[in-house]
């Protein structure tokens, strides 16, 4: 009898241990919330770490590890927990690789993001302005962008996506400075300047004028957060609640 009780206790202990392990793995895959979708003008998808795809709406959260995908006519604006702001243009793939921000621990700041394709406009937050100024990195197919307290734009053009412009990374600086680096070299760009990086091994260059690769988001995306109506809503009606769903 004692042997059966011991065996039963051992099995229960094993099951509890397995359950705890599953919960830990699930928590790790979920990622932590690092931002919120404040403005949206069309379909926005988030490819999650666990392989699922989630449809995001206004007020949806963005997690570390998410790859955001905007459709052909979609503009999306995300507010991150360090008060930084990123606006994505249509046809963009943007990944939040790593994002760590603790108000009490500036030395642990880290923001590593990737612009895989498409374009964005960014107003940087506290990461990169306190503690380690190199804590912010925006990776692209041809170069990495670092900031020095700034507002800038980045667009990666390929396959005729930017008209007749050659394939490569185009940057522009509205305020502050950015540092663009790759195997070919490093170039500092200041407010009012435009730049181009054709490949991972070619050095970044300053362009004499605006090449026309930048974009201007519509008023619905540049205005105050949550001030617009959902498409199809009636004047004076209460705003509809955002609904998240997962596509597996």
């Amino acid at each position: 009898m004692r042997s059966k009780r011991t065996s039963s206790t051992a099995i229960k202990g094993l099951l509890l241990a397995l359950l705890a392990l599953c919960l830990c793995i699930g928590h790790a895959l979920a990622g932590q919330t690092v931002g919120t979708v404040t403005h949206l003008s069309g379909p926005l998808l988030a490819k999650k770490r666990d392989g699922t795809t989630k449809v995001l709406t206004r007020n949806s959260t963005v997690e570390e590890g998410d790859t955001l995908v905007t459709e052909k006519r979609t503009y999306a604006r995300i507010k991150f927990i360090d008060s930084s702001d990123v606006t994505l243009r249509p046809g963009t793939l943007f990944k939040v690789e790593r994002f760590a921000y603790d108000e009490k621990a500036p030395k642990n700041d880290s923001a590593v993001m990737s612009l895989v394709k498409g374009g964005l406009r960014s107003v940087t937050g506290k990461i990169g302005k306190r503690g380690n100024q190199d804590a912010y990195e925006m990776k692209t197919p041809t170069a990495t962008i670092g900031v020095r307290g700034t507002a800038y734009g980045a667009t990666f053009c390929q396959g005729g996506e930017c008209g007749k412009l050659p394939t490569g990374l185009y940057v522009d600086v509205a305020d502050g400075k950015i540092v663009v680096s790759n195997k070919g070299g490093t170039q500092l760009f200041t407010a009012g300047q435009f730049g181009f990086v054709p490949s991972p091994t070619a050095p970044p260059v300053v362009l004499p004028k605006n090449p026309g690769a930048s974009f201007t988001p519509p008023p619905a995306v540049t205005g105050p957060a949550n001030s617009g109506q959902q498409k199809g809503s009636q004047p004076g009606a209460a705003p509809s609640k955002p609904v998240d769903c997962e596509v597996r």
Side-chain angles (χ1 to χ4, degrees):
M1 181 67 71
R2 183 178 299 176
S3 176
K4 290 183 178 180
R5 289 179 179 177
T6 302
S7 177
S8 177
T9 301
I11 292 173
K12 288 181 179 178
L14 179 59
L15 290 175
L16 289 173
L18 288 173
L19 177 60
L21 178 61
C22 289
L23 290 174
C24 289
I25 292 174
H27 178 73
L29 289 174
Q32 65 170 339
T33 297
V34 298
T36 304
V37 179
T38 59
H39 301 71
L40 190 59
S41 68
L44 175 64
L45 304 178
K47 295 182 179 180
K48 315 297 287 186
R49 276 180 172 173
D50 61 3
T52 60
T53 298
K54 187 175 183 180
V55 179
L56 303 185
T57 62
R58 198 174 61 189
N59 297 327
S60 289
T61 57
V62 174
E63 297 178 344
E64 185 180 51
D66 283 357
T67 296
L68 304 182
V69 184
T70 58
E71 297 296 330
K72 291 183 179 179
R73 298 182 181 179
T74 299
Y75 288 88
R77 186 172 164 188
I78 298 92
K79 188 80 169 183
F80 288 91
I81 56 176
D82 74 324
S83 297
S84 58
D85 193 295
V86 172
T87 300
L88 307 178
R89 70 179 295 171
T92 294
L93 263 70
F94 171 76
K95 183 175 182 179
V96 184
E97 295 189 13
R98 185 169 68 250
F99 204 101
Y101 174 75
D102 184 343
E103 184 68 39
K104 299 179 181 179
K107 66 179 181 179
N108 296 329
D109 284 356
S110 179
V112 180
M113 294 168 280
S114 291
L115 175 64
V116 181
K117 63 171 293 188
L120 59 82
R121 301 208 65 80
S122 176
V123 178
T124 56
K126 295 180 180 179
I127 293 179
K129 295 180 181 178
R130 58 178 203 159
N132 180 12
Q133 67 175 3
D134 296 321
Y136 177 103
E137 288 185 8
M138 180 67 70
K139 298 179 180 179
T140 77
T142 61
T144 297
I145 301 170
V147 300
R148 300 294 181 265
T150 188
Y152 74 95
T155 300
F156 184 74
C157 297
Q158 59 182 338
E161 292 174 341
C162 302
K164 296 182 180 180
L165 289 178
T167 294
L169 172 68
Y170 294 84
V171 297
D172 64 272
V173 184
D175 184 56
K177 304 173 183 178
I178 64 173
V179 179
V180 181
S181 305
N182 65 5
K183 293 180 179 179
T186 298
Q187 178 66 51
L188 177 70
F189 295 90
T190 58
Q193 288 188 316
F194 303 89
F196 175 57
V197 191
S199 76
T201 56
V205 296
V206 177
L207 298 178
K209 61 179 181 179
N210 185 353
S214 58
F215 68 97
T216 302
V221 176
T222 58
N226 302 323
S227 62
Q229 289 181 312
Q230 296 283 354
K231 186 177 180 180
S233 63
Q234 298 296 322
S240 58
K241 294 183 179 180
V243 178
D244 293 344
C245 64
E246 291 188 359
V247 182
R248 296 183 182 271

Tab-separated table of all heavy atoms in Angstrom, residues 153-155 168-173 178 180 187-190 192-198 203-213:
chain	number	residue	atom	x	y	z
A	153	GLY	N	13.767	59.431	-40.949
A	153	GLY	CA	13.032	58.511	-41.794
A	153	GLY	C	13.987	57.539	-42.456
A	153	GLY	O	15.145	57.873	-42.722
A	154	ALA	N	13.513	56.318	-42.706
A	154	ALA	CA	14.310	55.300	-43.382
A	154	ALA	C	13.403	54.502	-44.305
A	154	ALA	O	12.339	54.050	-43.889
A	154	ALA	CB	14.984	54.378	-42.372
A	155	THR	N	13.848	54.325	-45.541
A	155	THR	CA	13.085	53.542	-46.520
A	155	THR	C	14.042	52.648	-47.289
A	155	THR	O	15.067	53.123	-47.798
A	155	THR	CB	12.351	54.459	-47.517
A	155	THR	OG1	11.446	55.300	-46.801
A	155	THR	CG2	11.565	53.636	-48.525
A	168	GLY	N	18.278	50.147	-52.480
A	168	GLY	CA	19.130	50.524	-51.363
A	168	GLY	C	18.359	51.222	-50.262
A	168	GLY	O	17.130	51.381	-50.341
A	169	LEU	N	19.075	51.622	-49.223
A	169	LEU	CA	18.492	52.318	-48.071
A	169	LEU	C	18.593	53.823	-48.256
A	169	LEU	O	19.668	54.351	-48.552
A	169	LEU	CB	19.231	51.915	-46.797
A	169	LEU	CG	18.869	52.699	-45.529
A	169	LEU	CD1	17.440	52.398	-45.086
A	169	LEU	CD2	19.858	52.383	-44.411
A	170	TYR	N	17.464	54.514	-48.067
A	170	TYR	CA	17.430	55.972	-48.126
A	170	TYR	C	17.065	56.503	-46.755
A	170	TYR	O	16.121	56.008	-46.119
A	170	TYR	CB	16.404	56.441	-49.164
A	170	TYR	CG	16.784	56.078	-50.588
A	170	TYR	CD1	16.479	54.816	-51.105
A	170	TYR	CD2	17.448	56.988	-51.409
A	170	TYR	CE1	16.840	54.474	-52.407
A	170	TYR	CE2	17.805	56.643	-52.712
A	170	TYR	CZ	17.503	55.386	-53.201
A	170	TYR	OH	17.865	55.048	-54.479
A	171	VAL	N	17.784	57.487	-46.269
A	171	VAL	CA	17.506	58.062	-44.951
A	171	VAL	C	17.376	59.573	-45.069
A	171	VAL	O	17.936	60.199	-45.974
A	171	VAL	CB	18.613	57.717	-43.926
A	171	VAL	CG1	18.691	56.223	-43.689
A	171	VAL	CG2	19.973	58.269	-44.367
A	172	ASP	N	16.624	60.148	-44.141
A	172	ASP	CA	16.528	61.605	-44.031
A	172	ASP	C	16.399	61.966	-42.558
A	172	ASP	O	15.850	61.187	-41.771
A	172	ASP	CB	15.340	62.139	-44.830
A	172	ASP	CG	14.008	61.641	-44.295
A	172	ASP	OD1	13.561	60.552	-44.732
A	172	ASP	OD2	13.409	62.311	-43.429
A	173	VAL	N	16.930	63.102	-42.170
A	173	VAL	CA	16.930	63.519	-40.769
A	173	VAL	C	16.154	64.823	-40.618
A	173	VAL	O	16.473	65.827	-41.251
A	173	VAL	CB	18.371	63.712	-40.243
A	173	VAL	CG1	18.349	64.061	-38.758
A	173	VAL	CG2	19.195	62.451	-40.478
A	178	ILE	N	21.792	61.064	-36.931
A	178	ILE	CA	21.833	59.611	-36.988
A	178	ILE	C	23.215	59.184	-37.479
A	178	ILE	O	23.881	59.925	-38.200
A	178	ILE	CB	20.742	58.999	-37.900
A	178	ILE	CG1	20.937	59.422	-39.366
A	178	ILE	CG2	19.362	59.359	-37.401
A	178	ILE	CD1	19.982	58.719	-40.332
A	180	VAL	N	24.958	56.115	-39.545
A	180	VAL	CA	24.675	54.979	-40.404
A	180	VAL	C	25.978	54.221	-40.669
A	180	VAL	O	26.956	54.804	-41.149
A	180	VAL	CB	24.040	55.429	-41.739
A	180	VAL	CG1	23.719	54.220	-42.609
A	180	VAL	CG2	22.777	56.241	-41.476
A	187	GLN	N	28.844	56.954	-41.536
A	187	GLN	CA	28.558	58.325	-41.939
A	187	GLN	C	27.569	58.967	-40.969
A	187	GLN	O	26.558	58.360	-40.604
A	187	GLN	CB	27.966	58.351	-43.353
A	187	GLN	CG	27.579	59.734	-43.858
A	187	GLN	CD	28.768	60.646	-44.041
A	187	GLN	OE1	29.746	60.276	-44.681
A	187	GLN	NE2	28.702	61.845	-43.472
A	188	LEU	N	27.881	60.186	-40.546
A	188	LEU	CA	26.990	60.955	-39.684
A	188	LEU	C	26.097	61.835	-40.551
A	188	LEU	O	26.575	62.533	-41.446
A	188	LEU	CB	27.809	61.822	-38.730
A	188	LEU	CG	27.012	62.741	-37.796
A	188	LEU	CD1	26.267	61.933	-36.747
A	188	LEU	CD2	27.949	63.747	-37.121
A	189	PHE	N	24.783	61.785	-40.274
A	189	PHE	CA	23.826	62.629	-40.981
A	189	PHE	C	23.157	63.551	-39.959
A	189	PHE	O	22.718	63.093	-38.897
A	189	PHE	CB	22.761	61.784	-41.683
A	189	PHE	CG	23.291	60.923	-42.787
A	189	PHE	CD1	23.733	59.631	-42.532
A	189	PHE	CD2	23.353	61.401	-44.097
A	189	PHE	CE1	24.216	58.825	-43.549
A	189	PHE	CE2	23.842	60.599	-45.122
A	189	PHE	CZ	24.282	59.314	-44.853
A	190	THR	N	23.052	64.826	-40.285
A	190	THR	CA	22.449	65.805	-39.379
A	190	THR	C	21.129	66.319	-39.964
A	190	THR	O	20.756	65.972	-41.092
A	190	THR	CB	23.409	66.980	-39.150
A	190	THR	OG1	23.723	67.593	-40.406
A	190	THR	CG2	24.707	66.490	-38.514
A	192	GLY	N	18.228	67.921	-41.820
A	192	GLY	CA	18.148	68.485	-43.156
A	192	GLY	C	18.915	67.716	-44.210
A	192	GLY	O	18.820	68.039	-45.397
A	193	GLN	N	19.652	66.680	-43.811
A	193	GLN	CA	20.435	65.910	-44.767
A	193	GLN	C	19.717	64.636	-45.209
A	193	GLN	O	18.859	64.104	-44.505
A	193	GLN	CB	21.800	65.543	-44.176
A	193	GLN	CG	22.752	66.712	-44.049
A	193	GLN	CD	24.151	66.275	-43.656
A	193	GLN	OE1	24.349	65.436	-42.778
A	193	GLN	NE2	25.152	66.857	-44.311
A	194	PHE	N	20.126	64.156	-46.388
A	194	PHE	CA	19.592	62.926	-46.968
A	194	PHE	C	20.754	61.991	-47.277
A	194	PHE	O	21.858	62.443	-47.592
A	194	PHE	CB	18.798	63.223	-48.243
A	194	PHE	CG	17.668	64.186	-48.055
A	194	PHE	CD1	17.869	65.556	-48.180
A	194	PHE	CD2	16.401	63.722	-47.734
A	194	PHE	CE1	16.832	66.452	-47.985
A	194	PHE	CE2	15.351	64.609	-47.538
A	194	PHE	CZ	15.562	65.973	-47.663
A	195	GLY	N	20.502	60.684	-47.173
A	195	GLY	CA	21.571	59.737	-47.417
A	195	GLY	C	21.117	58.508	-48.171
A	195	GLY	O	19.913	58.226	-48.295
A	196	PHE	N	22.114	57.750	-48.657
A	196	PHE	CA	21.834	56.556	-49.452
A	196	PHE	C	22.906	55.506	-49.173
A	196	PHE	O	24.091	55.814	-49.071
A	196	PHE	CB	21.829	56.909	-50.941
A	196	PHE	CG	21.678	55.737	-51.866
A	196	PHE	CD1	20.577	54.881	-51.767
A	196	PHE	CD2	22.625	55.473	-52.849
A	196	PHE	CE1	20.434	53.799	-52.629
A	196	PHE	CE2	22.487	54.403	-53.721
A	196	PHE	CZ	21.386	53.567	-53.609
A	197	VAL	N	22.460	54.236	-49.024
A	197	VAL	CA	23.378	53.114	-48.840
A	197	VAL	C	22.945	52.014	-49.807
A	197	VAL	O	21.954	51.325	-49.573
A	197	VAL	CB	23.343	52.577	-47.396
A	197	VAL	CG1	24.498	51.594	-47.185
A	197	VAL	CG2	23.422	53.707	-46.380
A	198	PRO	N	23.685	51.798	-50.898
A	198	PRO	CA	23.254	50.855	-51.919
A	198	PRO	C	23.418	49.380	-51.574
A	198	PRO	O	22.677	48.534	-52.087
A	198	PRO	CB	24.138	51.221	-53.113
A	198	PRO	CG	25.356	51.828	-52.510
A	198	PRO	CD	24.878	52.554	-51.292
A	203	PRO	N	29.924	52.208	-48.781
A	203	PRO	CA	29.809	53.192	-47.703
A	203	PRO	C	28.575	54.077	-47.846
A	203	PRO	O	28.159	54.389	-48.975
A	203	PRO	CB	31.093	54.011	-47.836
A	203	PRO	CG	31.483	53.858	-49.273
A	203	PRO	CD	31.093	52.469	-49.645
A	204	PRO	N	27.979	54.494	-46.742
A	204	PRO	CA	26.855	55.434	-46.792
A	204	PRO	C	27.328	56.767	-47.368
A	204	PRO	O	28.448	57.207	-47.086
A	204	PRO	CB	26.444	55.587	-45.321
A	204	PRO	CG	27.036	54.394	-44.632
A	204	PRO	CD	28.301	54.084	-45.362
A	205	VAL	N	26.482	57.410	-48.182
A	205	VAL	CA	26.854	58.687	-48.795
A	205	VAL	C	25.774	59.735	-48.544
A	205	VAL	O	24.585	59.422	-48.423
A	205	VAL	CB	27.082	58.541	-50.317
A	205	VAL	CG1	28.264	57.624	-50.594
A	205	VAL	CG2	25.831	58.021	-51.010
A	206	VAL	N	26.206	60.984	-48.465
A	206	VAL	CA	25.285	62.107	-48.319
A	206	VAL	C	24.796	62.509	-49.702
A	206	VAL	O	25.599	62.685	-50.627
A	206	VAL	CB	25.980	63.307	-47.639
A	206	VAL	CG1	25.019	64.494	-47.556
A	206	VAL	CG2	26.472	62.929	-46.249
A	207	LEU	N	23.494	62.645	-49.864
A	207	LEU	CA	22.913	63.059	-51.150
A	207	LEU	C	22.736	64.576	-51.168
A	207	LEU	O	22.418	65.188	-50.138
A	207	LEU	CB	21.565	62.373	-51.365
A	207	LEU	CG	21.596	60.838	-51.452
A	207	LEU	CD1	20.172	60.304	-51.623
A	207	LEU	CD2	22.486	60.363	-52.590
A	208	PRO	N	22.900	65.200	-52.330
A	208	PRO	CA	22.806	66.662	-52.417
A	208	PRO	C	21.393	67.202	-52.245
A	208	PRO	O	21.200	68.375	-51.913
A	208	PRO	CB	23.350	66.963	-53.818
A	208	PRO	CG	23.113	65.707	-54.597
A	208	PRO	CD	23.299	64.585	-53.607
A	209	LYS	N	20.387	66.336	-52.482
A	209	LYS	CA	19.001	66.789	-52.340
A	209	LYS	C	18.101	65.606	-52.015
A	209	LYS	O	18.525	64.454	-52.045
A	209	LYS	CB	18.522	67.470	-53.617
A	209	LYS	CG	18.529	66.561	-54.834
A	209	LYS	CD	18.024	67.301	-56.068
A	209	LYS	CE	17.999	66.382	-57.289
A	209	LYS	NZ	17.481	67.084	-58.495
A	210	ASN	N	16.854	65.905	-51.731
A	210	ASN	CA	15.861	64.872	-51.422
A	210	ASN	C	15.634	63.980	-52.643
A	210	ASN	O	15.200	64.452	-53.695
A	210	ASN	CB	14.549	65.537	-51.008
A	210	ASN	CG	13.504	64.541	-50.549
A	210	ASN	OD1	13.682	63.327	-50.643
A	210	ASN	ND2	12.393	65.048	-50.036
A	211	PRO	N	15.909	62.677	-52.529
A	211	PRO	CA	15.737	61.785	-53.681
A	211	PRO	C	14.288	61.403	-53.952
A	211	PRO	O	13.972	60.843	-55.000
A	211	PRO	CB	16.555	60.561	-53.287
A	211	PRO	CG	16.452	60.522	-51.797
A	211	PRO	CD	16.470	61.961	-51.365
A	212	GLY	N	13.405	61.662	-52.982
A	212	GLY	CA	11.992	61.351	-53.165
A	212	GLY	C	11.563	59.996	-52.637
A	212	GLY	O	10.508	59.496	-53.000
A	213	ALA	N	12.368	59.419	-51.758
A	213	ALA	CA	12.026	58.104	-51.202
A	213	ALA	C	11.211	58.204	-49.918
A	213	ALA	O	10.595	57.229	-49.494
A	213	ALA	CB	13.295	57.312	-50.921
